[in-house]
Amino acid sequence: MWDVLKSKAEGIGSRRISTLFDDDPDRAERFSARAGDMLFDFSKTNIDADTLNALLALCEASGLADRRAAMFSGAPINVTEGRAVLHTALRNIDKGPVTVDGEDVMPGVRETLDRMRAFAKAVRSGSARGASGAFTDIVNIGIGGSDLGPVMACGALAPYADGPRCHFVSNVDGAHLADTIRHLDPTRTLVIVASKTFTTIETMTNARSIRAWMINGGGDPGRQFAALSSALDKTAEFGIPDERVFGFADWVGGRYSMWGPIGLSIMLAIGPKDFDAFLKGAAAMDDHFREAPLAENLPVLLALVGIWHRQVLGYATRAVLPYDQRLLRLPAYLQQLEMESNGKSVTMDGADLEIPSGPVVWGEPGTNGQHAFYQLIHQGTDIVPCEFMIAAEGHEPDLGQHQRLLIANCLAQSQALMLGRSLDEAKAMVAGEGLSGDALDTAARHRVFHGNRPSVTLAYPRLTPHVLGMIVALYEHRVFVEGVVLGINSYDQFGVELGKVLAKAIDPVLCDRDAGDGLDGSTTGLIGYLRTCAGPGAWGT
Ligand code: F6P
């Protein structure tokens, strides 16, 4: 199957994407799909009908339908950790039972959600209070999946935020904590410690430091701390009262967890009703993923376009370019979702992966990126497939002309990538500047855009909680499809462990409890330099 796709890629030669539109007047329609009122257009790629069929055949042959059924039904598809993968159950609220090991998990999911709602209502109404009054601010302490989703969603849904202000501290760099709490009142701040394992060193260090700040400032950790975790013994050990602990099962992966307790900060910011709409949006995408035929299935198509670009054509990175300022943190969120899930080099059974793993994902909102790195995207030597996102409407009715310009820019970029500018066109452009001969040629060459660079566009009416839920679930399922086609387990993350183990070994060297004899020369040299600069005792004991 991969061979068929490789030969399709070779067969394309220098074919221009733009000619596909000349050959097929209905291309835009035929190479796009809808889920609800969301439109996914992949017509500005070099995928033709034959290639699409080959990609769909690859997907079918990978056993996607069975794997998908296994995931939704609670089978332990995370084979390396022996766990089910059931973040979809967290948004299956109005629907039927979901069983894990013969037990319906939905009553527990609903009960936790009800507790979250009650807590959110109490905090937002001021009936749950800090030492000196209603909560004005919330600080979520967490990292990775216990941070990126909530930060991203709170930014995306800012127009819906009518609760206390939400802040996020993830980095163990003291600057992050210090800069966040500087202007907060320790007697009116609610701290949420978000950690699935409740052992993550960054999170636990920040949690202890903010607790000390609260106590020193007259706050009351007994009523101003909550925890979101799977490790209920550890939350108790930390001293967080049970009624302020929101637990979840091990079948919710960290980077897939914002639909349940890890999303508490989102619920506190936008309120339970809008949080429900967010869940419902994701559930709508779940239904679409389960029911739509493969050729009309957004997560499947998004994944297959990605596979075409990465595994078949060999493009190493993919840019995610939301023309939606409030999706500022979406690229960072997707970096964890995609790269922690599909950045692997062994297959499910431990054999070497013989095709490239998932790509590097990066990006920034447009139009800002246009004034920064788009130069490389248009004229660099590497091809970067781009994923544009654009809403029909913003939330600023008085600034409609801004949205118009945003849309014009978004559409212009995907056009420019596809069409480019030929040498003749560039010459015609610079001819008016009085140049001729070699000088004209040189000046024109700098202005050539080779074009023929692929992009896809996801368009939606407006970034509401429902639409955001759909977008995030779309990307979650995209990762799933890519993982199934590559034959890897998307749900473990052993690649993050080695660095954690080594950091633990370096820490005692930094506080002179270990001589560090076994360290390599570079590490020893760097420690020596940093120790000299910082001076004795600067790092504590
Ligand atoms: O280091 C990676 C990781 O394990 C992520 O997968 C996870 O989202 C993050 O750390 C945080 O883990 P926890 O929620 O257990 O603190």
Side-chain angles (χ1 to χ4, degrees):
M1 293 255 164
W2 290 106
D3 291 348
V4 174
L5 284 161
K6 285 275 179 206
S7 70
K8 296 251 172 252
E10 279 156 22
I12 283 174
S14 58
R15 181 178 75 187
R16 309 267 318 164
I17 299 169
S18 52
T19 62
L20 296 171
F21 287 90
D22 303 335
D23 299 346
D24 177 4
D26 297 330
R27 177 169 173 83
E29 186 132 334
R30 295 209 295 129
F31 289 80
S32 62
R34 284 173 190 257
D37 43 17
M38 181 175 275
L39 171 71
F40 172 58
D41 177 330
F42 61 106
S43 60
K44 292 194 190 89
T45 62
N46 221 325
I47 295 175
D48 57 22
D50 269 1
T51 306
L52 182 57
N53 286 336
L55 287 164
L56 289 166
L58 174 77
C59 187
E60 251 186 286
S62 70
L64 178 76
D66 289 347
R67 303 279 305 155
R68 183 178 55 193
M71 174 174 75
F72 278 99
S73 69
I77 64 162
N78 173 358
V79 286
T80 51
E81 297 179 312
R83 290 177 186 166
V85 173
L86 267 186
H87 44 280
T88 50
L90 299 175
R91 54 218 192 198
N92 178 57
I93 304 308
D94 304 328
K95 301 183 185 156
V98 178
T99 50
V100 177
D101 296 331
E103 196 190 320
D104 181 11
V105 299
M106 288 314 301
V109 168
R110 290 193 190 97
E111 191 202 316
T112 306
L113 190 58
D114 282 344
R115 287 185 56 231
M116 287 168 63
R117 288 177 180 136
F119 182 63
K121 282 184 188 152
V123 170
R124 287 163 55 87
S125 68
S127 66
R129 300 161 78 76
S132 76
F135 290 115
T136 54
D137 295 90
I138 294 164
V139 179
N140 185 87
I141 306 267
I143 197 164
S146 300
D147 168 71
L148 288 162
V151 182
M152 182 276 291
C154 284
L157 300 178
Y160 301 85
D162 54 3
R165 293 177 291 259
C166 282
H167 313 268
F168 296 87
V169 175
S170 50
N171 202 324
V172 74
D173 183 340
H176 202 178
L177 182 63
D179 289 352
T180 305
I181 58 182
R182 181 168 300 135
H183 302 296
L184 304 189
D185 178 348
T187 65
R188 298 185 67 181
T189 296
L190 172 70
V191 173
I192 300 175
V193 186
S195 174
K196 181 175 170 182
T197 56
F198 230 70
T199 55
T200 304
I201 192 129
E202 293 94 333
T203 300
M204 299 325 295
T205 306
N206 279 324
R208 282 189 292 271
S209 297
I210 200 168
R211 184 170 59 186
W213 165 82
M214 189 179 280
I215 293 167
N216 288 338
D220 177 0
R223 49 207 271 205
Q224 292 179 224
F225 261 68
L228 320 173
S229 184
S230 303
L232 306 188
D233 51 334
K234 297 200 173 66
T235 56
E237 218 173 276
F238 191 85
I240 301 180
D242 285 354
E243 66 274 15
R244 293 273 171 95
V245 177
F246 301 89
F248 53 101
D250 70 359
W251 40 258
V252 181
R255 54 194 174 274
Y256 297 87
S257 62
M258 76 169 129
W259 314 103
I262 293 293
L264 182 63
S265 52
I266 311 171
M267 191 193 270
L268 287 163
I270 65 175
K273 200 160 152 259
D274 281 331
F275 190 79
D276 275 1
F278 176 56
L279 296 184
K280 286 206 170 104
M285 185 55 75
D286 294 341
D287 290 346
H288 170 84
F289 180 46
R290 295 172 86 166
E291 291 159 14
L294 296 190
E296 295 162 29
N297 195 306
L298 258 63
V300 169
L301 293 169
L302 191 58
L304 292 180
V305 173
I307 286 167
W308 169 247
H309 289 146
R310 172 64 180 134
Q311 280 77 24
V312 182
L313 295 173
Y315 305 146
T317 83
R318 193 177 98 241
V320 177
L321 307 166
Y323 277 66
D324 203 322
Q325 177 61 23
R326 295 195 176 101
L327 290 178
L328 177 67
R329 297 305 305 278
L330 184 73
Y333 168 76
L334 291 180
Q335 279 174 342
Q336 186 197 22
L337 181 67
E338 299 203 24
M339 292 162 76
E340 198 166 89
S341 297
N342 288 345
K344 320 246 160 99
S345 48
V346 289
T347 60
M348 202 81 86
D349 52 11
D352 286 344
L353 184 68
E354 283 171 1
I355 40 178
S357 66
V360 172
V361 178
W362 60 285
E364 271 287 311
T367 58
N368 296 15
Q370 289 176 207
H371 297 270
F373 54 80
Y374 277 39
Q375 165 64 41
L376 181 148
I377 288 182
H378 285 291
Q379 288 191 315
T381 52
D382 289 299
I383 293 186
V384 180
C386 293
E387 226 155 76
F388 294 101
M389 293 183 190
I390 183 74
E393 270 188 289
H395 287 81
E396 292 68 33
D398 300 342
L399 299 173
Q401 75 280 18
H402 287 240
Q403 191 66 22
R404 195 183 69 225
L405 273 174
L406 193 65
I407 293 173
N409 272 279
C410 179
L411 301 183
Q413 290 300 327
S414 66
Q415 251 190 329
L417 285 166
M418 174 171 75
L419 300 177
R421 180 194 287 145
S422 68
L423 184 60
D424 284 348
E425 286 168 329
K427 278 186 179 166
M429 245 184 73
V430 289
E433 293 170 16
L435 299 173
S436 59
D438 284 354
L440 173 74
D441 196 60
T442 304
R445 283 176 61 79
H446 286 286
R447 289 160 177 79
V448 167
F449 288 58
H450 293 295
N452 215 24
R453 299 192 168 202
S455 70
V456 299
T457 302
L458 185 69
Y460 43 90
R462 205 176 191 214
L463 190 59
T464 58
H466 190 273
V467 165
L468 183 70
M470 287 183 78
I471 292 176
V472 178
L474 165 63
Y475 276 88
E476 286 179 346
H477 295 320
R478 169 198 209 284
V479 166
F480 174 81
V481 175
E482 185 179 82
V484 170
V485 173
L486 299 187
I488 59 181
N489 178 12
S490 303
Y491 300 101
D492 59 18
Q493 57 282 321
F494 295 113
V496 302
E497 281 181 5
L498 181 58
K500 292 185 192 176
V501 171
L502 295 182
K504 262 195 181 155
I506 290 176
D507 193 54
V509 180
L510 299 181
C511 54
D512 296 321
R513 278 186 276 117
D514 184 305
D517 293 337
L519 293 177
D520 63 87
S522 162
T523 307
T524 305
L526 287 165
I527 291 174
Y529 168 82
L530 294 167
R531 193 194 296 281
T532 309
C533 288
W539 298 326
T541 50

